[in-house]
Coordinates of all heavy atoms in Angstrom, one line a residue:
K22 N 45.8 139.6 103.7 CA 44.7 138.9 103.2 C 44.5 137.6 104.1 O 45.4 136.7 104.1 CB 44.8 138.4 101.8 CG 44.9 139.7 100.9 CD 45.1 139.4 99.4 CE 45.2 140.7 98.6 NZ 45.5 140.4 97.1
V23 N 43.5 137.6 104.9 CA 43.3 136.5 106.0 C 42.0 135.8 105.7 O 40.9 136.3 105.5 CB 43.2 137.2 107.3 CG1 43.1 136.1 108.5 CG2 44.4 138.2 107.6
F24 N 42.1 134.4 105.6 CA 41.0 133.6 105.5 C 40.3 133.5 106.8 O 41.0 133.2 107.8 CB 41.3 132.2 104.9 CG 41.8 132.2 103.5 CD1 43.1 131.9 103.2 CD2 41.0 132.7 102.5 CE1 43.6 131.9 101.9 CE2 41.4 132.7 101.1 CZ 42.7 132.3 100.9
M25 N 39.0 133.5 106.9 CA 38.3 133.4 108.2 C 37.0 132.6 108.0 O 36.6 132.3 106.8 CB 37.9 134.8 108.7 CG 39.0 135.8 108.8 SD 38.6 137.4 109.4 CE 38.5 137.1 111.2
L26 N 36.4 132.2 109.1 CA 35.2 131.5 109.1 C 34.2 132.0 110.1 O 34.6 132.1 111.3 CB 35.4 130.0 109.3 CG 34.1 129.1 109.4 CD1 33.5 129.1 108.0 CD2 34.5 127.7 109.9
Q27 N 33.0 132.4 109.7 CA 32.0 133.0 110.7 C 31.0 131.9 110.9 O 30.4 131.3 109.9 CB 31.4 134.3 110.1 CG 30.4 134.9 111.1 CD 30.0 136.3 110.6 OE1 30.6 136.9 109.7 NE2 28.9 136.8 111.1
Y28 N 30.7 131.6 112.2 CA 29.7 130.6 112.5 C 29.1 130.9 113.9 O 29.6 131.7 114.6 CB 30.3 129.2 112.4 CG 31.3 128.9 113.5 CD1 31.0 128.4 114.7 CD2 32.7 129.1 113.2 CE1 31.9 128.1 115.7 CE2 33.6 128.9 114.2 CZ 33.2 128.3 115.4 OH 34.2 128.1 116.3
R29 N 28.0 130.2 114.2 CA 27.4 130.2 115.5 C 27.6 128.8 116.1 O 27.4 127.8 115.5 CB 26.0 130.6 115.5 CG 25.7 132.0 115.2 CD 24.2 132.3 115.3 NE 23.9 133.7 114.9 CZ 23.7 134.6 115.9 NH1 24.0 134.3 117.1 NH2 23.4 135.9 115.5
T30 N 27.9 128.8 117.4 CA 28.0 127.5 118.1 C 26.6 127.0 118.4 O 25.6 127.7 118.2 CB 28.8 127.6 119.5 OG1 28.0 128.5 120.4 CG2 30.1 128.2 119.2
N31 N 26.5 125.8 118.9 CA 25.1 125.2 119.2 C 24.5 126.0 120.4 O 23.3 126.0 120.6 CB 25.2 123.8 119.6 CG 25.4 122.9 118.4 OD1 25.5 123.4 117.3 ND2 25.6 121.6 118.6
A32 N 25.4 126.7 121.1 CA 24.9 127.5 122.2 C 24.5 129.0 121.8 O 24.0 129.8 122.6 CB 25.9 127.7 123.3
G33 N 24.6 129.2 120.5 CA 24.2 130.5 119.9 C 25.3 131.6 120.0 O 25.1 132.7 119.6
E34 N 26.6 131.2 120.4 CA 27.6 132.2 120.5 C 28.3 132.4 119.1 O 28.5 131.4 118.3 CB 28.7 131.7 121.4 CG 28.2 131.6 122.8 CD 29.2 130.9 123.8 OE1 29.9 130.0 123.3 OE2 29.4 131.4 124.9
R35 N 28.5 133.7 118.7 CA 29.1 134.0 117.4 C 30.6 133.8 117.5 O 31.2 134.2 118.4 CB 28.7 135.4 117.1 CG 27.3 135.7 116.9 CD 27.0 137.2 116.7 NE 27.6 137.7 115.5 CZ 27.1 137.8 114.3 NH1 25.8 137.3 114.1 NH2 27.7 138.3 113.3
R36 N 31.2 133.3 116.4 CA 32.6 133.1 116.3 C 33.0 133.6 114.9 O 32.3 133.4 113.9 CB 32.9 131.6 116.5 CG 32.6 131.0 117.8 CD 33.7 131.3 118.8 NE 33.5 130.6 120.0 CZ 32.9 131.0 121.1 NH1 32.3 132.2 121.1 NH2 32.8 130.2 122.2
K37 N 34.2 134.1 114.9 CA 34.8 134.5 113.6 C 36.3 134.3 113.7 O 37.1 135.3 113.6 CB 34.4 135.9 113.3 CG 34.6 136.4 111.8 CD 34.1 137.8 111.6 CE 34.2 138.3 110.2 NZ 33.8 139.7 110.0
P38 N 36.8 133.1 113.7 CA 38.2 132.9 113.9 C 38.9 132.9 112.5 O 38.4 132.7 111.5 CB 38.3 131.4 114.4 CG 37.1 130.8 113.9 CD 36.0 131.9 113.8
A39 N 40.2 133.2 112.6 CA 41.1 133.2 111.4 C 41.5 131.8 111.1 O 41.8 131.0 112.0 CB 42.3 134.1 111.6
L40 N 41.5 131.4 109.8 CA 41.9 130.1 109.4 C 43.4 130.1 109.0 O 44.1 129.1 109.2 CB 41.1 129.6 108.2 CG 39.6 129.5 108.4 CD1 38.9 129.2 107.1 CD2 39.3 128.4 109.4
G41 N 43.8 131.3 108.5 CA 45.3 131.4 108.1 C 45.4 132.5 107.0 O 44.5 133.0 106.5
L42 N 46.7 132.8 106.8 CA 47.0 133.9 105.8 C 47.0 133.3 104.4 O 47.4 132.2 104.1 CB 48.3 134.5 106.1 CG 48.4 135.4 107.4 CD1 49.9 135.8 107.6 CD2 47.6 136.6 107.2
Y43 N 46.5 134.1 103.5 CA 46.7 133.8 102.0 C 48.1 133.8 101.7 O 48.9 134.7 102.1 CB 45.9 134.8 101.2 CG 46.1 134.6 99.7 CD1 45.7 133.4 99.2 CD2 46.6 135.6 98.9 CE1 45.8 133.2 97.8 CE2 46.7 135.4 97.5 CZ 46.3 134.2 96.9 OH 46.4 134.0 95.6
G44 N 48.6 132.8 101.1 CA 50.0 132.6 100.8 C 50.6 131.5 101.6 O 51.3 130.6 101.1
E45 N 50.1 131.4 102.9 CA 50.4 130.3 103.7 C 49.4 129.1 103.4 O 49.7 128.0 103.5 CB 50.4 130.6 105.2 CG 51.4 131.6 105.6 CD 51.3 132.0 107.1 OE1 50.3 131.5 107.7 OE2 52.2 132.8 107.6
L46 N 48.2 129.6 103.1 CA 47.1 128.6 102.6 C 46.7 129.1 101.2 O 46.6 130.2 101.0 CB 46.0 128.7 103.5 CG 46.1 128.1 105.0 CD1 44.8 128.3 105.8 CD2 46.5 126.6 105.0
T47 N 46.4 128.1 100.4 CA 45.7 128.4 99.1 C 44.2 128.6 99.4 O 43.7 128.3 100.5 CB 46.0 127.3 98.1 OG1 45.3 126.1 98.5 CG2 47.4 127.0 97.9
V48 N 43.5 129.1 98.4 CA 42.1 129.3 98.5 C 41.4 127.9 98.8 O 40.6 127.8 99.7 CB 41.5 129.9 97.3 CG1 40.0 130.0 97.4 CG2 42.0 131.3 97.1
E49 N 41.8 126.9 98.0 CA 41.2 125.6 98.2 C 41.5 124.9 99.5 O 40.7 124.3 100.2 CB 41.7 124.6 97.0 CG 41.1 125.0 95.7 CD 39.6 125.0 95.8 OE1 38.9 124.1 96.4 OE2 39.0 126.0 95.2
Q50 N 42.8 125.1 100.0 CA 43.1 124.6 101.4 C 42.3 125.3 102.4 O 41.8 124.6 103.4 CB 44.6 124.8 101.6 CG 45.6 123.9 100.8 CD 47.0 124.3 100.9 OE1 47.4 125.5 101.2 NE2 47.9 123.3 100.7
A51 N 42.2 126.6 102.3 CA 41.4 127.4 103.3 C 39.9 126.9 103.3 O 39.2 126.8 104.3 CB 41.5 128.9 103.1
R52 N 39.3 126.8 102.0 CA 37.9 126.3 101.9 C 37.7 124.9 102.5 O 36.8 124.7 103.2 CB 37.5 126.3 100.5 CG 36.0 125.9 100.3 CD 35.6 125.9 98.8 NE 35.4 127.2 98.3 CZ 36.2 127.8 97.4 NH1 37.2 127.2 96.9 NH2 35.9 129.1 96.9
S53 N 38.7 124.0 102.3 CA 38.6 122.7 102.8 C 38.7 122.7 104.4 O 37.9 122.0 105.0 CB 39.8 121.8 102.3 OG 39.7 120.5 102.9
L54 N 39.5 123.6 104.9 CA 39.6 123.7 106.4 C 38.3 124.3 106.9 O 37.8 123.8 108.0 CB 40.8 124.6 106.7 CG 41.1 124.8 108.2 CD1 41.3 123.6 108.9 CD2 42.3 125.8 108.5
A55 N 37.7 125.2 106.2 CA 36.4 125.8 106.7 C 35.4 124.7 106.7 O 34.5 124.7 107.6 CB 36.0 126.9 105.7
Q56 N 35.4 123.9 105.7 CA 34.3 122.8 105.7 C 34.5 121.8 106.9 O 33.6 121.4 107.5 CB 34.4 122.1 104.4 CG 33.9 122.9 103.2 CD 34.2 122.2 101.8 OE1 35.2 121.6 101.7 NE2 33.3 122.4 100.9
E57 N 35.8 121.5 107.2 CA 36.1 120.6 108.3 C 35.6 121.3 109.6 O 35.0 120.6 110.5 CB 37.6 120.4 108.4 CG 38.1 119.5 107.3 CD 39.7 119.3 107.4 OE1 40.2 119.7 108.5 OE2 40.3 118.9 106.4

């Protein structure tokens, strides 16, 4: 179970990086990182 964030850069490039594994991060920690 991998937390991820999908977004577009200002140049229009699509990104979908992993934030971290569930267990290493809690849901709230992953959501906070996604917001940052």
Side-chain angles (χ1 to χ4, degrees):
K22 298 175 180 180
V23 185
F24 293 116
M25 307 182 78
L26 178 66
Q27 186 171 340
Y28 66 89
R29 285 181 183 271
T30 67
N31 285 359
E34 297 173 320
R35 294 171 64 89
R36 298 279 192 264
K37 196 175 180 182
L40 299 171
L42 289 173
Y43 178 56
E45 295 177 356
L46 292 175
T47 66
V48 175
E49 288 306 316
Q50 287 171 336
R52 182 181 283 114
S53 177
L54 182 58
Q56 289 172 326
E57 291 177 13

